Amino acid sequence: MHPRNVWQALSAPGFLLSAWPWRAAAYLLTGAAAGAVTLVGLLVVVTVGGVLSVVVVGLPLLVLVALAGLPVARLERLRLRLADRVPAPGRSRRQPTAFGPWPWLTTRLREPATWRDLGHALLFALVLWPWDALIAAAVLLCPLATLATPLLMATVGDGEEAKVLKLWTVTTWPEAFGTALLGLPLLALGAYALGLAAGARAALARVLLDAPREAGLDARVVELTRSRVRLVDAFDAERRRIERDLHDGAQQRLVALSMTLGLARLDAPPGPLADQLAKAHGEAGLALEELRELIRGIHPKVLTDHGLVAAVEDAADRSAVPVDVRLELPGRLPRAVEAAAYFVVCEALANVAKHSGADRAEVTGGHRDGRLHLEVRDDGRGGAEARPGTAAGPGTAAGPGTAAGPGAEDGEETGGGSGLTGLADRVSVLDGRLSLSSPPGGPTLLRVEIPCEWTERFA
């Protein structure tokens, strides 16, 4: 198996005879040269731009400094192939919304990858290239100088003496050749040192140049969010289809059945048959009423036709506890938001009637700062305790006294339900937030916030 990078090559038995020591040396030497050129270029551009900025001409040059990281990062990715055969992936960059230099420039300046590349360029120009040059010089000069001792003694020293690395003086030929032989193991050690240095330097460059993990995570989060929105829309569309089919199909058949039974009652003479028809007619009426409640619970027609305010007012009229509604929504919101808000309010009002012992409740809210705000408040006894874990769902915030007031399911007040989690899940799927407070003695307050924008504004 061929090594893919210098780190793998270091552990291979034929490292000294392979091309990897030469590749490591080339990587460090080209890094030193490219870094020096980058430093000089940045200094020239900053100096000229600073001087000319007095007459505004130098401002474009200063803007170019911010973009200096782009070519430096591209060059570093090319050089990285010397120490690592696996190419460093480029950063995923946003595409300009329009053609031309100005849209491209504004897009590049707004994305974080540009500033990360600039940070790499500054680090490369100020710190990394001197380090590359120092390591390459130290590792290469020491063994090469010892190997060249006989040559130095024959040329510079006129056959009498030669200074090795300016540390000691060689005065005899046997000593010169012995010093040269000492350079061979030093050269081998230097090759390994070059490999280590180039491997560490390439690893650092890959960390700096690779598309950051958080960018990949952000892309996944965006895709998950989009897929979640698509699922919510699909579920809402399916729910409306079921409501329409029940309304136009099963409900109409039950209405026809009820009318037929009613007419049969009128025609039947008094007796057991008439009694059975009356019972059947009553059962059909009850089934029709239950079906209408089911249809209203799936997706009420008033919500589709007239919006959230009308639907909440309709739910308040049907509540067993008197409810004051003060919603200010001069327009329509996304269907998924309206549906989630409506069902949260309906469940809250239902549980106010079941559990709170309240004499009155109110629903208030509106749209501001790009969010739908809703509050359901009752004057009940409060002081309920939610089952452990129900106040920690996504999008849920709970303060002291968090409990199962509005929105708690049956049994929540005794610690046995999961209504708060259900409400929180319904809201959090739209990136919303739910908070519930129910101190002993009341009042109980349920707050819901869902980010959304208008789909239609009324005049």
Side-chain angles (χ1 to χ4, degrees), residues 351-352 355-360 377-386 400-406 408 412-414 436-445:
N351 287 282
V352 167
H355 304 297
S356 67
D359 296 324
R360 199 162 196 87
R377 184 191 304 266
D378 70 71
D379 58 1
R381 54 181 173 268
E385 294 182 359
T402 299
E412 180 99 357
E413 290 204 356
T414 60
L436 179 64
S437 175
S438 183
T444 299
L445 176 64

PDB file of all heavy atoms in Angstrom, residues 351-352 355-360 377-386 400-406 408 412-414 436-445:
ATOM      1  N   ASN A 351     -57.975  22.145  28.230  1.00  0.00           N
ATOM      2  CA  ASN A 351     -57.442  21.733  29.519  1.00  0.00           C
ATOM      3  C   ASN A 351     -57.674  22.770  30.614  1.00  0.00           C
ATOM      4  O   ASN A 351     -57.655  22.438  31.797  1.00  0.00           O
ATOM      5  CB  ASN A 351     -55.958  21.419  29.374  1.00  0.00           C
ATOM      6  CG  ASN A 351     -55.755  20.117  28.622  1.00  0.00           C
ATOM      7  OD1 ASN A 351     -55.916  19.043  29.168  1.00  0.00           O
ATOM      8  ND2 ASN A 351     -55.438  20.233  27.339  1.00  0.00           N
ATOM      9  N   VAL A 352     -57.905  24.020  30.226  1.00  0.00           N
ATOM     10  CA  VAL A 352     -58.349  25.006  31.204  1.00  0.00           C
ATOM     11  C   VAL A 352     -59.690  24.566  31.782  1.00  0.00           C
ATOM     12  O   VAL A 352     -59.925  24.608  32.995  1.00  0.00           O
ATOM     13  CB  VAL A 352     -58.458  26.403  30.555  1.00  0.00           C
ATOM     14  CG1 VAL A 352     -59.224  27.359  31.454  1.00  0.00           C
ATOM     15  CG2 VAL A 352     -57.077  26.964  30.276  1.00  0.00           C
ATOM     16  N   HIS A 355     -59.030  21.079  33.956  1.00  0.00           N
ATOM     17  CA  HIS A 355     -58.129  20.945  35.098  1.00  0.00           C
ATOM     18  C   HIS A 355     -57.995  22.183  35.983  1.00  0.00           C
ATOM     19  O   HIS A 355     -57.676  22.054  37.154  1.00  0.00           O
ATOM     20  CB  HIS A 355     -56.719  20.577  34.614  1.00  0.00           C
ATOM     21  CG  HIS A 355     -56.677  19.350  33.774  1.00  0.00           C
ATOM     22  ND1 HIS A 355     -57.038  18.112  34.245  1.00  0.00           N
ATOM     23  CD2 HIS A 355     -56.338  19.178  32.467  1.00  0.00           C
ATOM     24  CE1 HIS A 355     -56.895  17.212  33.279  1.00  0.00           C
ATOM     25  NE2 HIS A 355     -56.489  17.835  32.186  1.00  0.00           N
ATOM     26  N   SER A 356     -58.173  23.365  35.421  1.00  0.00           N
ATOM     27  CA  SER A 356     -57.737  24.548  36.160  1.00  0.00           C
ATOM     28  C   SER A 356     -58.745  25.033  37.201  1.00  0.00           C
ATOM     29  O   SER A 356     -58.365  25.712  38.160  1.00  0.00           O
ATOM     30  CB  SER A 356     -57.454  25.695  35.176  1.00  0.00           C
ATOM     31  OG  SER A 356     -58.650  26.131  34.563  1.00  0.00           O
ATOM     32  N   GLY A 357     -60.041  24.734  36.993  1.00  0.00           N
ATOM     33  CA  GLY A 357     -61.061  25.305  37.872  1.00  0.00           C
ATOM     34  C   GLY A 357     -61.206  26.798  37.683  1.00  0.00           C
ATOM     35  O   GLY A 357     -61.639  27.510  38.603  1.00  0.00           O
ATOM     36  N   ALA A 358     -60.850  27.296  36.510  1.00  0.00           N
ATOM     37  CA  ALA A 358     -60.879  28.739  36.263  1.00  0.00           C
ATOM     38  C   ALA A 358     -62.296  29.209  35.966  1.00  0.00           C
ATOM     39  O   ALA A 358     -63.143  28.458  35.471  1.00  0.00           O
ATOM     40  CB  ALA A 358     -59.956  29.087  35.094  1.00  0.00           C
ATOM     41  N   ASP A 359     -62.556  30.484  36.305  1.00  0.00           N
ATOM     42  CA  ASP A 359     -63.829  31.114  35.972  1.00  0.00           C
ATOM     43  C   ASP A 359     -63.761  31.841  34.634  1.00  0.00           C
ATOM     44  O   ASP A 359     -64.783  32.096  34.003  1.00  0.00           O
ATOM     45  CB  ASP A 359     -64.221  32.116  37.061  1.00  0.00           C
ATOM     46  CG  ASP A 359     -64.471  31.424  38.392  1.00  0.00           C
ATOM     47  OD1 ASP A 359     -65.003  30.286  38.379  1.00  0.00           O
ATOM     48  OD2 ASP A 359     -64.108  32.006  39.438  1.00  0.00           O
ATOM     49  N   ARG A 360     -62.532  32.184  34.222  1.00  0.00           N
ATOM     50  CA  ARG A 360     -62.392  32.952  32.980  1.00  0.00           C
ATOM     51  C   ARG A 360     -60.985  32.746  32.416  1.00  0.00           C
ATOM     52  O   ARG A 360     -60.033  32.488  33.161  1.00  0.00           O
ATOM     53  CB  ARG A 360     -62.660  34.437  33.222  1.00  0.00           C
ATOM     54  CG  ARG A 360     -62.985  35.196  31.946  1.00  0.00           C
ATOM     55  CD  ARG A 360     -63.657  36.522  32.252  1.00  0.00           C
ATOM     56  NE  ARG A 360     -64.286  37.069  31.062  1.00  0.00           N
ATOM     57  CZ  ARG A 360     -65.514  36.786  30.645  1.00  0.00           C
ATOM     58  NH1 ARG A 360     -66.252  35.948  31.355  1.00  0.00           N
ATOM     59  NH2 ARG A 360     -66.009  37.318  29.544  1.00  0.00           N
ATOM     60  N   ARG A 377     -54.101  32.679  29.153  1.00  0.00           N
ATOM     61  CA  ARG A 377     -54.054  32.905  30.601  1.00  0.00           C
ATOM     62  C   ARG A 377     -55.398  32.510  31.215  1.00  0.00           C
ATOM     63  O   ARG A 377     -56.446  32.711  30.606  1.00  0.00           O
ATOM     64  CB  ARG A 377     -53.761  34.374  30.877  1.00  0.00           C
ATOM     65  CG  ARG A 377     -53.589  34.736  32.349  1.00  0.00           C
ATOM     66  CD  ARG A 377     -53.578  36.259  32.516  1.00  0.00           C
ATOM     67  NE  ARG A 377     -52.558  36.873  31.688  1.00  0.00           N
ATOM     68  CZ  ARG A 377     -51.324  37.158  32.108  1.00  0.00           C
ATOM     69  NH1 ARG A 377     -50.977  36.864  33.348  1.00  0.00           N
ATOM     70  NH2 ARG A 377     -50.455  37.731  31.296  1.00  0.00           N
ATOM     71  N   ASP A 378     -55.332  31.906  32.410  1.00  0.00           N
ATOM     72  CA  ASP A 378     -56.567  31.621  33.134  1.00  0.00           C
ATOM     73  C   ASP A 378     -56.387  32.005  34.604  1.00  0.00           C
ATOM     74  O   ASP A 378     -55.268  32.160  35.082  1.00  0.00           O
ATOM     75  CB  ASP A 378     -56.957  30.147  32.996  1.00  0.00           C
ATOM     76  CG  ASP A 378     -56.028  29.214  33.749  1.00  0.00           C
ATOM     77  OD1 ASP A 378     -56.074  29.206  34.994  1.00  0.00           O
ATOM     78  OD2 ASP A 378     -55.246  28.483  33.094  1.00  0.00           O
ATOM     79  N   ASP A 379     -57.522  32.175  35.303  1.00  0.00           N
ATOM     80  CA  ASP A 379     -57.490  32.568  36.716  1.00  0.00           C
ATOM     81  C   ASP A 379     -57.727  31.361  37.616  1.00  0.00           C
ATOM     82  O   ASP A 379     -58.307  31.506  38.704  1.00  0.00           O
ATOM     83  CB  ASP A 379     -58.520  33.667  36.990  1.00  0.00           C
ATOM     84  CG  ASP A 379     -59.931  33.235  36.613  1.00  0.00           C
ATOM     85  OD1 ASP A 379     -60.114  32.077  36.153  1.00  0.00           O
ATOM     86  OD2 ASP A 379     -60.862  34.048  36.773  1.00  0.00           O
ATOM     87  N   GLY A 380     -57.280  30.196  37.188  1.00  0.00           N
ATOM     88  CA  GLY A 380     -57.489  28.976  37.957  1.00  0.00           C
ATOM     89  C   GLY A 380     -56.551  28.859  39.142  1.00  0.00           C
ATOM     90  O   GLY A 380     -55.809  29.780  39.487  1.00  0.00           O
ATOM     91  N   ARG A 381     -56.581  27.681  39.737  1.00  0.00           N
ATOM     92  CA  ARG A 381     -55.843  27.479  40.987  1.00  0.00           C
ATOM     93  C   ARG A 381     -54.338  27.360  40.781  1.00  0.00           C
ATOM     94  O   ARG A 381     -53.556  27.593  41.688  1.00  0.00           O
ATOM     95  CB  ARG A 381     -56.363  26.231  41.690  1.00  0.00           C
ATOM     96  CG  ARG A 381     -56.350  24.981  40.839  1.00  0.00           C
ATOM     97  CD  ARG A 381     -56.904  23.794  41.609  1.00  0.00           C
ATOM     98  NE  ARG A 381     -57.046  22.620  40.762  1.00  0.00           N
ATOM     99  CZ  ARG A 381     -58.130  22.302  40.102  1.00  0.00           C
ATOM    100  NH1 ARG A 381     -59.191  23.091  40.212  1.00  0.00           N
ATOM    101  NH2 ARG A 381     -58.195  21.218  39.360  1.00  0.00           N
ATOM    102  N   GLY A 382     -53.892  26.958  39.586  1.00  0.00           N
ATOM    103  CA  GLY A 382     -52.461  26.828  39.342  1.00  0.00           C
ATOM    104  C   GLY A 382     -51.818  25.809  40.255  1.00  0.00           C
ATOM    105  O   GLY A 382     -52.472  24.928  40.834  1.00  0.00           O
ATOM    106  N   GLY A 383     -50.523  25.935  40.438  1.00  0.00           N
ATOM    107  CA  GLY A 383     -49.802  25.091  41.369  1.00  0.00           C
ATOM    108  C   GLY A 383     -49.660  23.655  40.939  1.00  0.00           C
ATOM    109  O   GLY A 383     -49.250  22.803  41.743  1.00  0.00           O
ATOM    110  N   ALA A 384     -49.967  23.338  39.696  1.00  0.00           N
ATOM    111  CA  ALA A 384     -49.816  21.949  39.251  1.00  0.00           C
ATOM    112  C   ALA A 384     -48.360  21.647  38.967  1.00  0.00           C
ATOM    113  O   ALA A 384     -47.545  22.545  38.746  1.00  0.00           O
ATOM    114  CB  ALA A 384     -50.658  21.708  38.000  1.00  0.00           C
ATOM    115  N   GLU A 385     -48.017  20.382  38.998  1.00  0.00           N
ATOM    116  CA  GLU A 385     -46.641  19.950  38.745  1.00  0.00           C
ATOM    117  C   GLU A 385     -46.615  19.048  37.540  1.00  0.00           C
ATOM    118  O   GLU A 385     -47.346  18.061  37.474  1.00  0.00           O
ATOM    119  CB  GLU A 385     -46.076  19.199  39.964  1.00  0.00           C
ATOM    120  CG  GLU A 385     -45.903  20.076  41.184  1.00  0.00           C
ATOM    121  CD  GLU A 385     -45.292  19.314  42.337  1.00  0.00           C
ATOM    122  OE1 GLU A 385     -45.027  18.103  42.152  1.00  0.00           O
ATOM    123  OE2 GLU A 385     -45.092  19.912  43.391  1.00  0.00           O
ATOM    124  N   ALA A 386     -45.764  19.383  36.587  1.00  0.00           N
ATOM    125  CA  ALA A 386     -45.646  18.555  35.389  1.00  0.00           C
ATOM    126  C   ALA A 386     -44.818  17.328  35.691  1.00  0.00           C
ATOM    127  O   ALA A 386     -43.992  17.316  36.593  1.00  0.00           O
ATOM    128  CB  ALA A 386     -44.998  19.352  34.254  1.00  0.00           C
ATOM    129  N   PRO A 400     -40.150  28.842  37.384  1.00  0.00           N
ATOM    130  CA  PRO A 400     -40.598  28.267  38.631  1.00  0.00           C
ATOM    131  C   PRO A 400     -42.089  27.998  38.592  1.00  0.00           C
ATOM    132  O   PRO A 400     -42.874  28.790  38.101  1.00  0.00           O
ATOM    133  CB  PRO A 400     -40.244  29.354  39.661  1.00  0.00           C
ATOM    134  CG  PRO A 400     -39.183  30.159  39.003  1.00  0.00           C
ATOM    135  CD  PRO A 400     -39.478  30.128  37.559  1.00  0.00           C
ATOM    136  N   GLY A 401     -42.471  26.891  39.132  1.00  0.00           N
ATOM    137  CA  GLY A 401     -43.881  26.554  39.143  1.00  0.00           C
ATOM    138  C   GLY A 401     -44.389  26.021  37.844  1.00  0.00           C
ATOM    139  O   GLY A 401     -45.582  25.992  37.597  1.00  0.00           O
ATOM    140  N   THR A 402     -43.486  25.612  36.954  1.00  0.00           N
ATOM    141  CA  THR A 402     -43.918  25.060  35.678  1.00  0.00           C
ATOM    142  C   THR A 402     -44.869  23.909  35.916  1.00  0.00           C
ATOM    143  O   THR A 402     -44.628  23.036  36.720  1.00  0.00           O
ATOM    144  CB  THR A 402     -42.713  24.562  34.880  1.00  0.00           C
ATOM    145  OG1 THR A 402     -41.878  25.671  34.644  1.00  0.00           O
ATOM    146  CG2 THR A 402     -43.145  23.983  33.566  1.00  0.00           C
ATOM    147  N   ALA A 403     -45.963  23.928  35.207  1.00  0.00           N
ATOM    148  CA  ALA A 403     -46.978  22.941  35.520  1.00  0.00           C
ATOM    149  C   ALA A 403     -47.865  22.708  34.349  1.00  0.00           C
ATOM    150  O   ALA A 403     -47.687  23.222  33.274  1.00  0.00           O
ATOM    151  CB  ALA A 403     -47.775  23.412  36.720  1.00  0.00           C
ATOM    152  N   ALA A 404     -48.878  21.944  34.605  1.00  0.00           N
ATOM    153  CA  ALA A 404     -49.802  21.560  33.562  1.00  0.00           C
ATOM    154  C   ALA A 404     -51.058  22.374  33.659  1.00  0.00           C
ATOM    155  O   ALA A 404     -52.122  21.900  33.959  1.00  0.00           O
ATOM    156  CB  ALA A 404     -50.111  20.088  33.680  1.00  0.00           C
ATOM    157  N   GLY A 405     -50.964  23.646  33.449  1.00  0.00           N
ATOM    158  CA  GLY A 405     -52.156  24.471  33.376  1.00  0.00           C
ATOM    159  C   GLY A 405     -52.717  24.363  31.982  1.00  0.00           C
ATOM    160  O   GLY A 405     -53.046  23.311  31.504  1.00  0.00           O
ATOM    161  N   PRO A 406     -52.764  25.459  31.225  1.00  0.00           N
ATOM    162  CA  PRO A 406     -53.215  25.382  29.856  1.00  0.00           C
ATOM    163  C   PRO A 406     -52.324  24.461  29.072  1.00  0.00           C
ATOM    164  O   PRO A 406     -51.127  24.541  29.101  1.00  0.00           O
ATOM    165  CB  PRO A 406     -53.099  26.838  29.375  1.00  0.00           C
ATOM    166  CG  PRO A 406     -53.100  27.642  30.611  1.00  0.00           C
ATOM    167  CD  PRO A 406     -52.489  26.810  31.659  1.00  0.00           C
ATOM    168  N   ALA A 408     -52.093  21.159  29.336  1.00  0.00           N
ATOM    169  CA  ALA A 408     -51.758  19.869  29.904  1.00  0.00           C
ATOM    170  C   ALA A 408     -52.793  18.854  29.510  1.00  0.00           C
ATOM    171  O   ALA A 408     -53.957  19.144  29.377  1.00  0.00           O
ATOM    172  CB  ALA A 408     -51.683  19.980  31.420  1.00  0.00           C
ATOM    173  N   GLU A 412     -52.295  15.395  33.762  1.00  0.00           N
ATOM    174  CA  GLU A 412     -51.013  16.097  33.876  1.00  0.00           C
ATOM    175  C   GLU A 412     -50.822  16.689  35.253  1.00  0.00           C
ATOM    176  O   GLU A 412     -49.731  16.725  35.776  1.00  0.00           O
ATOM    177  CB  GLU A 412     -50.944  17.216  32.817  1.00  0.00           C
ATOM    178  CG  GLU A 412     -49.667  18.021  32.838  1.00  0.00           C
ATOM    179  CD  GLU A 412     -48.693  17.561  31.792  1.00  0.00           C
ATOM    180  OE1 GLU A 412     -48.996  16.587  31.100  1.00  0.00           O
ATOM    181  OE2 GLU A 412     -47.644  18.157  31.675  1.00  0.00           O
ATOM    182  N   GLU A 413     -51.927  17.153  35.857  1.00  0.00           N
ATOM    183  CA  GLU A 413     -51.773  17.808  37.142  1.00  0.00           C
ATOM    184  C   GLU A 413     -51.355  16.832  38.225  1.00  0.00           C
ATOM    185  O   GLU A 413     -50.812  17.223  39.234  1.00  0.00           O
ATOM    186  CB  GLU A 413     -53.088  18.491  37.532  1.00  0.00           C
ATOM    187  CG  GLU A 413     -53.379  19.704  36.662  1.00  0.00           C
ATOM    188  CD  GLU A 413     -54.279  20.680  37.327  1.00  0.00           C
ATOM    189  OE1 GLU A 413     -54.755  20.422  38.432  1.00  0.00           O
ATOM    190  OE2 GLU A 413     -54.529  21.748  36.769  1.00  0.00           O
ATOM    191  N   THR A 414     -51.596  15.584  38.023  1.00  0.00           N
ATOM    192  CA  THR A 414     -51.158  14.580  38.985  1.00  0.00           C
ATOM    193  C   THR A 414     -49.835  13.988  38.584  1.00  0.00           C
ATOM    194  O   THR A 414     -49.371  13.034  39.171  1.00  0.00           O
ATOM    195  CB  THR A 414     -52.209  13.463  39.097  1.00  0.00           C
ATOM    196  OG1 THR A 414     -52.376  12.852  37.826  1.00  0.00           O
ATOM    197  CG2 THR A 414     -53.529  13.997  39.585  1.00  0.00           C
ATOM    198  N   LEU A 436     -44.288  27.992  30.036  1.00  0.00           N
ATOM    199  CA  LEU A 436     -45.476  27.777  30.846  1.00  0.00           C
ATOM    200  C   LEU A 436     -45.164  28.067  32.300  1.00  0.00           C
ATOM    201  O   LEU A 436     -44.178  27.563  32.833  1.00  0.00           O
ATOM    202  CB  LEU A 436     -45.962  26.331  30.695  1.00  0.00           C
ATOM    203  CG  LEU A 436     -47.192  25.916  31.497  1.00  0.00           C
ATOM    204  CD1 LEU A 436     -48.403  26.707  31.047  1.00  0.00           C
ATOM    205  CD2 LEU A 436     -47.435  24.423  31.324  1.00  0.00           C
ATOM    206  N   SER A 437     -45.981  28.892  32.924  1.00  0.00           N
ATOM    207  CA  SER A 437     -45.806  29.228  34.332  1.00  0.00           C
ATOM    208  C   SER A 437     -47.135  29.039  35.050  1.00  0.00           C
ATOM    209  O   SER A 437     -48.169  29.527  34.594  1.00  0.00           O
ATOM    210  CB  SER A 437     -45.329  30.681  34.466  1.00  0.00           C
ATOM    211  OG  SER A 437     -45.270  31.067  35.824  1.00  0.00           O
ATOM    212  N   SER A 438     -47.088  28.316  36.190  1.00  0.00           N
ATOM    213  CA  SER A 438     -48.309  28.068  36.955  1.00  0.00           C
ATOM    214  C   SER A 438     -47.971  28.007  38.442  1.00  0.00           C
ATOM    215  O   SER A 438     -47.933  26.936  39.038  1.00  0.00           O
ATOM    216  CB  SER A 438     -48.966  26.761  36.497  1.00  0.00           C
ATOM    217  OG  SER A 438     -50.172  26.556  37.182  1.00  0.00           O
ATOM    218  N   PRO A 439     -47.736  29.162  39.062  1.00  0.00           N
ATOM    219  CA  PRO A 439     -47.428  29.149  40.498  1.00  0.00           C
ATOM    220  C   PRO A 439     -48.664  28.755  41.313  1.00  0.00           C
ATOM    221  O   PRO A 439     -49.794  28.899  40.839  1.00  0.00           O
ATOM    222  CB  PRO A 439     -47.016  30.592  40.772  1.00  0.00           C
ATOM    223  CG  PRO A 439     -47.701  31.393  39.713  1.00  0.00           C
ATOM    224  CD  PRO A 439     -47.729  30.516  38.498  1.00  0.00           C
ATOM    225  N   PRO A 440     -48.475  28.274  42.531  1.00  0.00           N
ATOM    226  CA  PRO A 440     -49.631  27.923  43.369  1.00  0.00           C
ATOM    227  C   PRO A 440     -50.555  29.123  43.563  1.00  0.00           C
ATOM    228  O   PRO A 440     -50.109  30.226  43.873  1.00  0.00           O
ATOM    229  CB  PRO A 440     -48.984  27.489  44.689  1.00  0.00           C
ATOM    230  CG  PRO A 440     -47.607  27.047  44.309  1.00  0.00           C
ATOM    231  CD  PRO A 440     -47.191  27.941  43.181  1.00  0.00           C
ATOM    232  N   GLY A 441     -51.832  28.906  43.367  1.00  0.00           N
ATOM    233  CA  GLY A 441     -52.800  29.982  43.478  1.00  0.00           C
ATOM    234  C   GLY A 441     -53.068  30.692  42.179  1.00  0.00           C
ATOM    235  O   GLY A 441     -53.960  31.540  42.106  1.00  0.00           O
ATOM    236  N   GLY A 442     -52.260  30.400  41.142  1.00  0.00           N
ATOM    237  CA  GLY A 442     -52.462  31.005  39.832  1.00  0.00           C
ATOM    238  C   GLY A 442     -51.861  32.406  39.743  1.00  0.00           C
ATOM    239  O   GLY A 442     -51.263  32.902  40.697  1.00  0.00           O
ATOM    240  N   PRO A 443     -52.007  33.068  38.613  1.00  0.00           N
ATOM    241  CA  PRO A 443     -52.645  32.540  37.407  1.00  0.00           C
ATOM    242  C   PRO A 443     -51.706  31.613  36.625  1.00  0.00           C
ATOM    243  O   PRO A 443     -50.518  31.583  36.870  1.00  0.00           O
ATOM    244  CB  PRO A 443     -52.944  33.805  36.599  1.00  0.00           C
ATOM    245  CG  PRO A 443     -51.803  34.731  36.970  1.00  0.00           C
ATOM    246  CD  PRO A 443     -51.519  34.450  38.426  1.00  0.00           C
ATOM    247  N   THR A 444     -52.275  30.891  35.695  1.00  0.00           N
ATOM    248  CA  THR A 444     -51.502  30.034  34.808  1.00  0.00           C
ATOM    249  C   THR A 444     -51.374  30.728  33.458  1.00  0.00           C
ATOM    250  O   THR A 444     -52.364  31.226  32.922  1.00  0.00           O
ATOM    251  CB  THR A 444     -52.184  28.669  34.641  1.00  0.00           C
ATOM    252  OG1 THR A 444     -52.270  28.044  35.920  1.00  0.00           O
ATOM    253  CG2 THR A 444     -51.404  27.779  33.704  1.00  0.00           C
ATOM    254  N   LEU A 445     -50.146  30.771  32.955  1.00  0.00           N
ATOM    255  CA  LEU A 445     -49.871  31.512  31.721  1.00  0.00           C
ATOM    256  C   LEU A 445     -49.066  30.645  30.769  1.00  0.00           C
ATOM    257  O   LEU A 445     -48.011  30.121  31.133  1.00  0.00           O
ATOM    258  CB  LEU A 445     -49.110  32.803  32.032  1.00  0.00           C
ATOM    259  CG  LEU A 445     -48.657  33.635  30.819  1.00  0.00           C
ATOM    260  CD1 LEU A 445     -49.871  34.142  30.047  1.00  0.00           C
ATOM    261  CD2 LEU A 445     -47.784  34.808  31.280  1.00  0.00           C
TER     262      LEU A 445
END
